[in-house]
mmCIF file of all heavy atoms in Angstrom:
data_model
loop_
_atom_site.group_PDB
_atom_site.id
_atom_site.type_symbol
_atom_site.label_atom_id
_atom_site.label_comp_id
_atom_site.label_asym_id
_atom_site.label_seq_id
_atom_site.Cartn_x
_atom_site.Cartn_y
_atom_site.Cartn_z
ATOM 1 N N TYR A 237 87.461 71.561 80.709
ATOM 2 C CA TYR A 237 88.342 70.511 80.160
ATOM 3 C C TYR A 237 87.566 69.699 79.110
ATOM 4 O O TYR A 237 87.183 68.554 79.348
ATOM 5 C CB TYR A 237 88.814 69.568 81.274
ATOM 6 C CG TYR A 237 89.650 70.217 82.349
ATOM 7 C CD1 TYR A 237 89.044 70.905 83.410
ATOM 8 C CD2 TYR A 237 91.040 70.142 82.325
ATOM 9 C CE1 TYR A 237 89.804 71.504 84.403
ATOM 10 C CE2 TYR A 237 91.803 70.735 83.317
ATOM 11 C CZ TYR A 237 91.167 71.418 84.357
ATOM 12 O OH TYR A 237 91.938 71.993 85.342
ATOM 13 N N PRO A 238 87.319 70.301 77.958
ATOM 14 C CA PRO A 238 86.469 69.630 76.962
ATOM 15 C C PRO A 238 87.009 68.275 76.493
ATOM 16 O O PRO A 238 86.240 67.430 76.046
ATOM 17 C CB PRO A 238 86.423 70.635 75.799
ATOM 18 C CG PRO A 238 87.486 71.638 76.071
ATOM 19 C CD PRO A 238 87.785 71.630 77.516
ATOM 20 N N GLU A 239 88.324 68.074 76.614
ATOM 21 C CA GLU A 239 88.882 66.798 76.134
ATOM 22 C C GLU A 239 88.680 65.656 77.121
ATOM 23 O O GLU A 239 88.887 64.491 76.798
ATOM 24 C CB GLU A 239 90.385 66.949 75.882
ATOM 25 C CG GLU A 239 90.718 67.720 74.637
ATOM 26 C CD GLU A 239 92.217 67.827 74.474
ATOM 27 O OE1 GLU A 239 92.890 66.799 74.370
ATOM 28 O OE2 GLU A 239 92.718 68.972 74.495
ATOM 29 N N ILE A 240 88.318 66.005 78.357
ATOM 30 C CA ILE A 240 88.179 64.968 79.389
ATOM 31 C C ILE A 240 86.833 64.266 79.285
ATOM 32 O O ILE A 240 85.787 64.911 79.157
ATOM 33 C CB ILE A 240 88.304 65.589 80.800
ATOM 34 C CG1 ILE A 240 89.700 66.148 81.037
ATOM 35 C CG2 ILE A 240 87.908 64.588 81.890
ATOM 36 C CD1 ILE A 240 90.768 65.131 81.349
ATOM 37 N N GLU A 241 86.887 62.945 79.374
ATOM 38 C CA GLU A 241 85.643 62.166 79.438
ATOM 39 C C GLU A 241 85.356 61.905 80.915
ATOM 40 O O GLU A 241 86.088 61.173 81.574
ATOM 41 C CB GLU A 241 85.882 60.854 78.687
ATOM 42 C CG GLU A 241 84.674 59.965 78.548
ATOM 43 C CD GLU A 241 85.093 58.592 78.032
ATOM 44 O OE1 GLU A 241 85.883 58.546 77.062
ATOM 45 O OE2 GLU A 241 84.672 57.592 78.631
ATOM 46 N N LEU A 242 84.296 62.570 81.420
ATOM 47 C CA LEU A 242 83.971 62.453 82.854
ATOM 48 C C LEU A 242 82.831 61.463 83.052
ATOM 49 O O LEU A 242 81.830 61.516 82.351
ATOM 50 C CB LEU A 242 83.565 63.831 83.403
ATOM 51 C CG LEU A 242 83.041 63.852 84.841
ATOM 52 C CD1 LEU A 242 84.142 63.479 85.838
ATOM 53 C CD2 LEU A 242 82.471 65.240 85.200
ATOM 54 N N SER A 243 83.009 60.561 84.029
ATOM 55 C CA SER A 243 81.900 59.679 84.408
ATOM 56 C C SER A 243 81.719 59.766 85.921
ATOM 57 O O SER A 243 82.585 60.283 86.631
ATOM 58 C CB SER A 243 82.197 58.237 83.978
ATOM 59 O OG SER A 243 83.388 57.792 84.600
ATOM 60 N N HIS A 244 80.604 59.279 86.417
ATOM 61 C CA HIS A 244 80.321 59.287 87.852
ATOM 62 C C HIS A 244 79.958 57.870 88.278
ATOM 63 O O HIS A 244 79.328 57.136 87.523
ATOM 64 C CB HIS A 244 79.145 60.212 88.167
ATOM 65 C CG HIS A 244 79.356 61.617 87.699
ATOM 66 N ND1 HIS A 244 79.982 62.570 88.470
ATOM 67 C CD2 HIS A 244 79.068 62.219 86.524
ATOM 68 C CE1 HIS A 244 80.038 63.705 87.788
ATOM 69 N NE2 HIS A 244 79.502 63.509 86.607
ATOM 70 N N MET A 245 80.351 57.520 89.496
ATOM 71 C CA MET A 245 80.021 56.179 89.973
ATOM 72 C C MET A 245 79.765 56.234 91.476
ATOM 73 O O MET A 245 80.459 56.965 92.191
ATOM 74 C CB MET A 245 81.216 55.248 89.684
ATOM 75 C CG MET A 245 80.873 53.777 89.684
ATOM 76 S SD MET A 245 82.309 52.748 89.261
ATOM 77 C CE MET A 245 82.228 52.718 87.492
ATOM 78 N N TYR A 246 78.769 55.483 91.948
ATOM 79 C CA TYR A 246 78.554 55.397 93.389
ATOM 80 C C TYR A 246 79.686 54.576 93.995
ATOM 81 O O TYR A 246 80.197 53.641 93.368
ATOM 82 C CB TYR A 246 77.215 54.737 93.709
ATOM 83 C CG TYR A 246 76.020 55.528 93.239
ATOM 84 C CD1 TYR A 246 74.904 54.892 92.718
ATOM 85 C CD2 TYR A 246 76.008 56.920 93.340
ATOM 86 C CE1 TYR A 246 73.806 55.618 92.289
ATOM 87 C CE2 TYR A 246 74.904 57.645 92.907
ATOM 88 C CZ TYR A 246 73.814 56.996 92.383
ATOM 89 O OH TYR A 246 72.733 57.725 91.959
ATOM 90 N N VAL A 247 80.019 54.904 95.236
ATOM 91 C CA VAL A 247 81.211 54.288 95.837
ATOM 92 C C VAL A 247 81.067 52.769 95.986
ATOM 93 O O VAL A 247 82.043 52.039 95.823
ATOM 94 C CB VAL A 247 81.568 54.966 97.187
ATOM 95 C CG1 VAL A 247 80.453 54.792 98.214
ATOM 96 C CG2 VAL A 247 82.880 54.449 97.725
ATOM 97 N N ASP A 248 79.856 52.292 96.270
ATOM 98 C CA ASP A 248 79.699 50.838 96.426
ATOM 99 C C ASP A 248 79.950 50.131 95.095
ATOM 100 O O ASP A 248 80.623 49.093 95.046
ATOM 101 C CB ASP A 248 78.310 50.492 96.999
ATOM 102 C CG ASP A 248 77.187 51.322 96.408
ATOM 103 O OD1 ASP A 248 77.474 52.318 95.700
ATOM 104 O OD2 ASP A 248 76.011 50.992 96.640
ATOM 105 N N ASN A 249 79.482 50.740 94.007
ATOM 106 C CA ASN A 249 79.744 50.158 92.697
ATOM 107 C C ASN A 249 81.239 50.235 92.362
ATOM 108 O O ASN A 249 81.821 49.281 91.839
ATOM 109 C CB ASN A 249 78.907 50.888 91.629
ATOM 110 C CG ASN A 249 78.998 50.205 90.279
ATOM 111 O OD1 ASN A 249 79.317 49.017 90.194
ATOM 112 N ND2 ASN A 249 78.746 50.946 89.214
ATOM 113 N N ALA A 250 81.866 51.374 92.695
ATOM 114 C CA ALA A 250 83.297 51.537 92.409
ATOM 115 C C ALA A 250 84.111 50.450 93.109
ATOM 116 O O ALA A 250 85.063 49.894 92.543
ATOM 117 C CB ALA A 250 83.768 52.919 92.847
ATOM 118 N N ALA A 251 83.739 50.135 94.346
ATOM 119 C CA ALA A 251 84.445 49.089 95.091
ATOM 120 C C ALA A 251 84.319 47.746 94.366
ATOM 121 O O ALA A 251 85.283 46.970 94.292
ATOM 122 C CB ALA A 251 83.890 48.988 96.511
ATOM 123 N N MET A 252 83.134 47.495 93.804
ATOM 124 C CA MET A 252 82.927 46.237 93.066
ATOM 125 C C MET A 252 83.701 46.235 91.755
ATOM 126 O O MET A 252 84.365 45.265 91.406
ATOM 127 C CB MET A 252 81.438 46.051 92.746
ATOM 128 C CG MET A 252 80.633 45.539 93.905
ATOM 129 S SD MET A 252 79.067 44.874 93.362
ATOM 130 C CE MET A 252 78.262 46.297 92.655
ATOM 131 N N GLN A 253 83.612 47.364 91.025
ATOM 132 C CA GLN A 253 84.256 47.425 89.707
ATOM 133 C C GLN A 253 85.773 47.295 89.813
ATOM 134 O O GLN A 253 86.418 46.767 88.922
ATOM 135 C CB GLN A 253 83.897 48.741 88.990
ATOM 136 C CG GLN A 253 82.439 48.883 88.658
ATOM 137 C CD GLN A 253 81.925 47.776 87.745
ATOM 138 O OE1 GLN A 253 82.652 47.246 86.914
ATOM 139 N NE2 GLN A 253 80.671 47.384 87.915
ATOM 140 N N LEU A 254 86.320 47.762 90.933
ATOM 141 C CA LEU A 254 87.782 47.694 91.097
ATOM 142 C C LEU A 254 88.279 46.252 91.154
ATOM 143 O O LEU A 254 89.401 45.970 90.740
ATOM 144 C CB LEU A 254 88.212 48.436 92.374
ATOM 145 C CG LEU A 254 88.556 49.908 92.220
ATOM 146 C CD1 LEU A 254 88.864 50.517 93.577
ATOM 147 C CD2 LEU A 254 89.735 50.126 91.281
ATOM 148 N N VAL A 255 87.469 45.354 91.674
ATOM 149 C CA VAL A 255 87.912 43.952 91.673
ATOM 150 C C VAL A 255 87.368 43.174 90.473
ATOM 151 O O VAL A 255 87.914 42.142 90.096
ATOM 152 C CB VAL A 255 87.558 43.193 92.980
ATOM 153 C CG1 VAL A 255 88.457 43.627 94.101
ATOM 154 C CG2 VAL A 255 86.108 43.360 93.358
ATOM 155 N N ARG A 256 86.291 43.688 89.850
ATOM 156 C CA ARG A 256 85.713 42.978 88.705
ATOM 157 C C ARG A 256 86.481 43.282 87.411
ATOM 158 O O ARG A 256 86.914 42.384 86.712
ATOM 159 C CB ARG A 256 84.244 43.386 88.528
ATOM 160 C CG ARG A 256 83.450 42.477 87.602
ATOM 161 C CD ARG A 256 82.060 43.033 87.343
ATOM 162 N NE ARG A 256 82.085 44.228 86.511
ATOM 163 C CZ ARG A 256 82.151 44.231 85.180
ATOM 164 N NH1 ARG A 256 82.179 43.099 84.523
ATOM 165 N NH2 ARG A 256 82.168 45.361 84.498
ATOM 166 N N ALA A 257 86.661 44.587 87.150
ATOM 167 C CA ALA A 257 87.300 44.996 85.892
ATOM 168 C C ALA A 257 88.086 46.281 86.132
ATOM 169 O O ALA A 257 87.708 47.357 85.653
ATOM 170 C CB ALA A 257 86.238 45.197 84.824
ATOM 171 N N PRO A 258 89.184 46.212 86.871
ATOM 172 C CA PRO A 258 89.882 47.444 87.278
ATOM 173 C C PRO A 258 90.476 48.231 86.115
ATOM 174 O O PRO A 258 90.664 49.432 86.239
ATOM 175 C CB PRO A 258 90.985 46.929 88.214
ATOM 176 C CG PRO A 258 91.161 45.490 87.888
ATOM 177 C CD PRO A 258 89.831 45.006 87.425
ATOM 178 N N LYS A 259 90.733 47.567 84.998
ATOM 179 C CA LYS A 259 91.396 48.287 83.906
ATOM 180 C C LYS A 259 90.465 49.274 83.198
ATOM 181 O O LYS A 259 90.899 50.029 82.341
ATOM 182 C CB LYS A 259 92.004 47.288 82.914
ATOM 183 C CG LYS A 259 93.284 46.663 83.484
ATOM 184 C CD LYS A 259 94.101 45.966 82.430
ATOM 185 C CE LYS A 259 93.719 44.506 82.344
ATOM 186 N NZ LYS A 259 94.559 43.756 81.397
ATOM 187 N N GLN A 260 89.168 49.297 83.574
ATOM 188 C CA GLN A 260 88.247 50.272 82.967
ATOM 189 C C GLN A 260 88.565 51.691 83.432
ATOM 190 O O GLN A 260 88.137 52.657 82.819
ATOM 191 C CB GLN A 260 86.794 49.942 83.317
ATOM 192 C CG GLN A 260 86.458 50.170 84.795
ATOM 193 C CD GLN A 260 85.051 49.752 85.154
ATOM 194 O OE1 GLN A 260 84.102 50.466 84.884
ATOM 195 N NE2 GLN A 260 84.917 48.585 85.761
ATOM 196 N N PHE A 261 89.328 51.834 84.553
ATOM 197 C CA PHE A 261 89.572 53.169 85.118
ATOM 198 C C PHE A 261 90.885 53.772 84.615
ATOM 199 O O PHE A 261 91.856 53.049 84.367
ATOM 200 C CB PHE A 261 89.645 53.093 86.655
ATOM 201 C CG PHE A 261 88.360 52.659 87.299
ATOM 202 C CD1 PHE A 261 88.247 51.390 87.867
ATOM 203 C CD2 PHE A 261 87.260 53.503 87.351
ATOM 204 C CE1 PHE A 261 87.072 50.983 88.476
ATOM 205 C CE2 PHE A 261 86.072 53.109 87.949
ATOM 206 C CZ PHE A 261 85.977 51.839 88.518
ATOM 207 N N ASP A 262 90.881 55.103 84.524
ATOM 208 C CA ASP A 262 92.123 55.841 84.268
ATOM 209 C C ASP A 262 92.417 56.640 85.546
ATOM 210 O O ASP A 262 93.223 56.224 86.370
ATOM 211 C CB ASP A 262 91.936 56.739 83.037
ATOM 212 C CG ASP A 262 93.139 57.614 82.752
ATOM 213 O OD1 ASP A 262 94.238 57.262 83.196
ATOM 214 O OD2 ASP A 262 92.984 58.663 82.079
ATOM 215 N N VAL A 263 91.714 57.771 85.747
ATOM 216 C CA VAL A 263 91.854 58.542 86.986
ATOM 217 C C VAL A 263 90.537 58.449 87.759
ATOM 218 O O VAL A 263 89.464 58.606 87.180
ATOM 219 C CB VAL A 263 92.183 60.021 86.685
ATOM 220 C CG1 VAL A 263 92.181 60.840 87.967
ATOM 221 C CG2 VAL A 263 93.533 60.134 85.990
ATOM 222 N N ILE A 264 90.636 58.178 89.052
ATOM 223 C CA ILE A 264 89.463 58.199 89.932
ATOM 224 C C ILE A 264 89.646 59.383 90.876
ATOM 225 O O ILE A 264 90.711 59.533 91.475
ATOM 226 C CB ILE A 264 89.373 56.897 90.763
ATOM 227 C CG1 ILE A 264 89.055 55.701 89.854
ATOM 228 C CG2 ILE A 264 88.319 57.015 91.873
ATOM 229 C CD1 ILE A 264 89.029 54.354 90.581
ATOM 230 N N VAL A 265 88.621 60.229 91.014
ATOM 231 C CA VAL A 265 88.722 61.328 91.987
ATOM 232 C C VAL A 265 87.608 61.168 93.016
ATOM 233 O O VAL A 265 86.467 60.877 92.676
ATOM 234 C CB VAL A 265 88.661 62.719 91.300
ATOM 235 C CG1 VAL A 265 87.338 62.953 90.587
ATOM 236 C CG2 VAL A 265 88.914 63.828 92.317
ATOM 237 N N THR A 266 87.966 61.331 94.274
ATOM 238 C CA THR A 266 86.968 61.148 95.323
ATOM 239 C C THR A 266 87.401 61.840 96.613
ATOM 240 O O THR A 266 88.512 62.354 96.719
ATOM 241 C CB THR A 266 86.685 59.633 95.517
ATOM 242 O OG1 THR A 266 85.551 59.463 96.369
ATOM 243 C CG2 THR A 266 87.883 58.900 96.105
ATOM 244 N N GLY A 267 86.501 61.837 97.598
ATOM 245 C CA GLY A 267 86.768 62.511 98.872
ATOM 246 C C GLY A 267 87.668 61.674 99.778
ATOM 247 O O GLY A 267 88.105 60.572 99.424
ATOM 248 N N ASN A 268 87.891 62.210 100.948
ATOM 249 C CA ASN A 268 88.867 61.638 101.870
ATOM 250 C C ASN A 268 88.515 60.210 102.308
ATOM 251 O O ASN A 268 89.335 59.289 102.194
ATOM 252 C CB ASN A 268 88.940 62.575 103.084
ATOM 253 C CG ASN A 268 90.271 62.516 103.787
ATOM 254 O OD1 ASN A 268 91.021 61.568 103.612
ATOM 255 N ND2 ASN A 268 90.562 63.522 104.589
ATOM 256 N N LEU A 269 87.287 60.028 102.781
ATOM 257 C CA LEU A 269 86.877 58.722 103.312
ATOM 258 C C LEU A 269 86.831 57.648 102.222
ATOM 259 O O LEU A 269 87.445 56.585 102.346
ATOM 260 C CB LEU A 269 85.503 58.855 103.975
ATOM 261 C CG LEU A 269 84.803 57.570 104.397
ATOM 262 C CD1 LEU A 269 85.594 56.841 105.476
ATOM 263 C CD2 LEU A 269 83.396 57.874 104.915
ATOM 264 N N PHE A 270 86.124 57.935 101.126
ATOM 265 C CA PHE A 270 86.025 56.943 100.051
ATOM 266 C C PHE A 270 87.411 56.677 99.460
ATOM 267 O O PHE A 270 87.753 55.547 99.111
ATOM 268 C CB PHE A 270 85.074 57.426 98.942
ATOM 269 C CG PHE A 270 83.658 57.659 99.386
ATOM 270 C CD1 PHE A 270 82.805 58.450 98.633
ATOM 271 C CD2 PHE A 270 83.156 57.083 100.551
ATOM 272 C CE1 PHE A 270 81.493 58.674 99.022
ATOM 273 C CE2 PHE A 270 81.845 57.299 100.963
ATOM 274 C CZ PHE A 270 81.011 58.110 100.189
ATOM 275 N N GLY A 271 88.206 57.746 99.360
ATOM 276 C CA GLY A 271 89.545 57.609 98.774
ATOM 277 C C GLY A 271 90.458 56.752 99.627
ATOM 278 O O GLY A 271 91.284 55.987 99.121
ATOM 279 N N ASP A 272 90.302 56.871 100.922
ATOM 280 C CA ASP A 272 91.101 56.073 101.853
ATOM 281 C C ASP A 272 90.868 54.585 101.570
ATOM 282 O O ASP A 272 91.803 53.790 101.428
ATOM 283 C CB ASP A 272 90.656 56.428 103.288
ATOM 284 C CG ASP A 272 91.593 55.883 104.349
ATOM 285 O OD1 ASP A 272 92.590 55.240 103.981
ATOM 286 O OD2 ASP A 272 91.314 56.098 105.540
ATOM 287 N N ILE A 273 89.609 54.229 101.456
ATOM 288 C CA ILE A 273 89.251 52.820 101.299
ATOM 289 C C ILE A 273 89.568 52.325 99.879
ATOM 290 O O ILE A 273 90.224 51.292 99.699
ATOM 291 C CB ILE A 273 87.751 52.632 101.620
ATOM 292 C CG1 ILE A 273 87.489 53.033 103.084
ATOM 293 C CG2 ILE A 273 87.318 51.195 101.356
ATOM 294 C CD1 ILE A 273 86.042 53.273 103.431
ATOM 295 N N LEU A 274 89.163 53.095 98.869
ATOM 296 C CA LEU A 274 89.363 52.636 97.490
ATOM 297 C C LEU A 274 90.837 52.572 97.116
ATOM 298 O O LEU A 274 91.253 51.697 96.355
ATOM 299 C CB LEU A 274 88.624 53.555 96.500
ATOM 300 C CG LEU A 274 87.100 53.532 96.576
ATOM 301 C CD1 LEU A 274 86.514 54.454 95.510
ATOM 302 C CD2 LEU A 274 86.539 52.123 96.413
ATOM 303 N N SER A 275 91.657 53.501 97.668
ATOM 304 C CA SER A 275 93.076 53.468 97.279
ATOM 305 C C SER A 275 93.763 52.252 97.876
ATOM 306 O O SER A 275 94.649 51.668 97.253
ATOM 307 C CB SER A 275 93.797 54.766 97.643
ATOM 308 O OG SER A 275 93.761 54.996 99.020
ATOM 309 N N ASP A 276 93.355 51.828 99.062
ATOM 310 C CA ASP A 276 93.922 50.590 99.621
ATOM 311 C C ASP A 276 93.458 49.375 98.823
ATOM 312 O O ASP A 276 94.226 48.448 98.582
ATOM 313 C CB ASP A 276 93.519 50.416 101.091
ATOM 314 C CG ASP A 276 94.552 51.022 102.034
ATOM 315 O OD1 ASP A 276 95.430 51.774 101.540
ATOM 316 O OD2 ASP A 276 94.499 50.754 103.248
ATOM 317 N N GLU A 277 92.208 49.416 98.419
ATOM 318 C CA GLU A 277 91.690 48.298 97.628
ATOM 319 C C GLU A 277 92.455 48.198 96.292
ATOM 320 O O GLU A 277 92.922 47.124 95.910
ATOM 321 C CB GLU A 277 90.193 48.489 97.356
ATOM 322 C CG GLU A 277 89.568 47.299 96.645
ATOM 323 C CD GLU A 277 88.142 47.563 96.165
ATOM 324 O OE1 GLU A 277 87.613 48.661 96.398
ATOM 325 O OE2 GLU A 277 87.580 46.649 95.542
ATOM 326 N N ALA A 278 92.606 49.344 95.632
ATOM 327 C CA ALA A 278 93.313 49.351 94.346
ATOM 328 C C ALA A 278 94.768 48.931 94.534
ATOM 329 O O ALA A 278 95.330 48.203 93.714
ATOM 330 C CB ALA A 278 93.244 50.744 93.730
ATOM 331 N N ALA A 279 95.352 49.389 95.632
ATOM 332 C CA ALA A 279 96.758 49.054 95.894
ATOM 333 C C ALA A 279 96.941 47.545 95.984
ATOM 334 O O ALA A 279 97.889 46.976 95.437
ATOM 335 C CB ALA A 279 97.205 49.715 97.193
ATOM 336 N N MET A 280 96.005 46.904 96.639
ATOM 337 C CA MET A 280 96.166 45.472 96.854
ATOM 338 C C MET A 280 95.967 44.655 95.583
ATOM 339 O O MET A 280 96.375 43.499 95.502
ATOM 340 C CB MET A 280 95.218 44.996 97.955
ATOM 341 C CG MET A 280 95.778 45.245 99.338
ATOM 342 S SD MET A 280 97.408 44.459 99.562
ATOM 343 C CE MET A 280 98.527 45.827 99.400
#
Side-chain angles (χ1 to χ4, degrees):
Y237 297 82
E239 285 180 60
I240 295 283
E241 185 191 314
L242 173 66
S243 59
H244 303 272
M245 200 177 273
Y246 296 142
V247 62
D248 41 349
N249 188 22
M252 281 197 297
Q253 296 300 329
L254 269 176
V255 286
R256 194 187 70 83
K259 285 195 268 184
Q260 69 184 281
F261 296 108
D262 176 22
V263 174
I264 292 177
V265 63
T266 190
N268 207 341
L269 171 64
F270 299 161
D272 192 1
I273 298 164
L274 293 182
S275 61
D276 268 13
E277 185 189 359
M280 278 303 102

